[in-house]
Amino acid sequence: MVLSDCVVPAIASALKKSDGFEPAVGIVLGSGLGKLTTHIESPVEIPYESIPGFPRTTVAGHKGRMILGRIADKKVVVMDGRFHYYEGHPASVTALPARLMAAMGVSVIMLSNAAGGINPDFTPGDIMMIKDHISFIPNPLIGPNDDTLGPRFPSLTDAYSPRLRAVAAASASKLGIALKEGVYVAVTGPSYETSAEVRFYRTIGGDAVGMSTTPEVIAARHQGVEVFAASLITNVNTPDAPKGPSHEEVLEVGNASAEKLSLLFANMIASL
């Protein structure tokens, strides 16, 4: 899929429907993390299927809508649902939400996901602020580079903004939320990890593992947008556990703990 064939029509449609709405912050919500939408004032919903070039979401816990509104008096655009490589989309398509928000003019993109903990010190319901990643998902920049968006070889040093991580730490302290920090390992899925893979991810420095986020981060940084990302730890992967995780478990823990992450994001936005 050529970038101009899918992204430009989507941008044009979204801007037309938003009546010139110019958001400052973009947010992408992961599985079971839609409760942040309750913090949006004067929301305007745009279903993904009404945006030319946008696929439909097919995963439970992803509603598939763009929401325009305000959080803490700041204009935001929220993507309630994302696209995954395991759904059969090329990596460039998984980055579409970030591409669209960057084109709408946001200076900050905040991403969330549900992830399995591989750090034995984590427990279900923890929030892990992502400080770096290791990605096994193909890079969305593979193919011809669009020089109008960003450089051929963008640096991912400090891909996860130190400034925004400091804001998150201050917000978490204010709210009394215990905030963990770690390295996110992105894998293609959709199968969950084998015991040997969990051991491997721990050995190479991973703290949590999931099936999304890194293509959006790379695309956002390619366009010079500042990035913050956090994982809601929905289960802890123990290599010798007799029972592995399930998507139902992910959604259950996500629904139970999502308000904590929503409060963190809302407080951060108020502080920007």
Side-chain angles (χ1 to χ4, degrees), residues 229-252:
S231 296
L232 180 60
I233 304 301
T234 55
N235 61 282
V236 176
N237 291 314
T238 303
D240 300 315
K243 176 181 176 294
S246 69
H247 192 61
E248 291 73 22
E249 178 184 5
V250 168
L251 293 177
E252 181 180 352

Side-chain angles (χ1 to χ4, degrees), residues 82 84 112-116 118 128-137 160 181-187 201 205-217 229-233:
R82 55 161 49 99
H84 302 82
S112 66
N113 61 57
I118 51 179
M128 184 191 83
M129 175 170 58
I130 300 176
K131 65 179 180 181
D132 208 342
H133 74 236
I134 300 168
S135 186
F136 294 97
I137 299 175
Y160 300 87
E181 186 176 51
V183 174
Y184 177 77
V185 180
V187 297
Y201 299 149
D207 295 288
V209 59
M211 305 173 189
S212 68
T213 305
T214 56
E216 296 151 319
V217 171
S231 296
L232 180 60
I233 304 301

Side-chain angles (χ1 to χ4, degrees), residues 118 187 191-202 209 237-241 244-245:
I118 51 179
V187 297
S191 55
Y192 288 108
E193 303 73 40
T194 68
S195 295
E197 287 169 338
V198 172
R199 293 189 187 96
F200 172 63
Y201 299 149
R202 282 186 181 179
V209 59
N237 291 314
T238 303
D240 300 315

Side-chain angles (χ1 to χ4, degrees), residues 24-262:
V25 179
I27 304 166
V28 179
L29 301 177
S31 297
L33 298 176
K35 287 188 178 180
L36 180 68
T37 59
T38 63
H39 294 263
I40 302 174
E41 302 168 10
S42 304
V44 175
E45 295 187 13
I46 303 174
Y48 285 172
E49 56 262 32
S50 70
I51 305 176
F54 255 53
R56 298 189 181 189
T57 54
T58 65
V59 183
H62 292 258
K63 291 188 176 180
R65 56 182 178 166
M66 180 170 73
I67 306 174
L68 308 174
R70 293 176 180 269
I71 295 178
D73 203 36
K74 289 186 173 62
K75 292 181 180 179
V76 299
V77 52
V78 178
M79 297 295 183
D80 189 5
R82 55 161 49 99
F83 314 120
H84 302 82
Y85 186 74
Y86 63 74
E87 293 176 85
H89 302 301
S92 59
V93 170
T94 66
L96 276 179
R99 289 292 194 203
L100 175 57
M101 293 188 294
M104 292 179 74
V106 303
S107 58
V108 168
I109 288 180
M110 302 172 67
L111 305 113
S112 66
N113 61 57
I118 51 179
N119 184 323
D121 294 331
F122 288 176
T123 58
D126 281 348
I127 295 175
M128 184 191 83
M129 175 170 58
I130 300 176
K131 65 179 180 181
D132 208 342
H133 74 236
I134 300 168
S135 186
F136 294 97
I137 299 175
N139 194 305
L141 306 184
I142 292 173
N145 186 60
D146 187 339
D147 294 333
T148 65
L149 298 180
R152 169 76 280 187
F153 303 106
S155 172
L156 291 184
T157 301
D158 288 335
Y160 300 87
S161 166
R163 180 184 78 90
L164 294 179
R165 295 195 336 250
V167 171
S171 293
S173 178
K174 178 180 177 180
L175 296 168
I177 294 174
L179 187 63
K180 304 294 178 67
E181 186 176 51
V183 174
Y184 177 77
V185 180
V187 297
T188 63
S191 55
Y192 288 108
E193 303 73 40
T194 68
S195 295
E197 287 169 338
V198 172
R199 293 189 187 96
F200 172 63
Y201 299 149
R202 282 186 181 179
T203 299
I204 63 175
D207 295 288
V209 59
M211 305 173 189
S212 68
T213 305
T214 56
E216 296 151 319
V217 171
I218 293 169
R221 294 303 301 135
H222 181 235
Q223 292 184 245
V225 178
E226 202 172 7
V227 170
F228 174 82
S231 296
L232 180 60
I233 304 301
T234 55
N235 61 282
V236 176
N237 291 314
T238 303
D240 300 315
K243 176 181 176 294
S246 69
H247 192 61
E248 291 73 22
E249 178 184 5
V250 168
L251 293 177
E252 181 180 352
V253 176
N255 288 328
S257 305
E259 183 60 21
K260 183 168 57 174
L261 185 58
S262 299

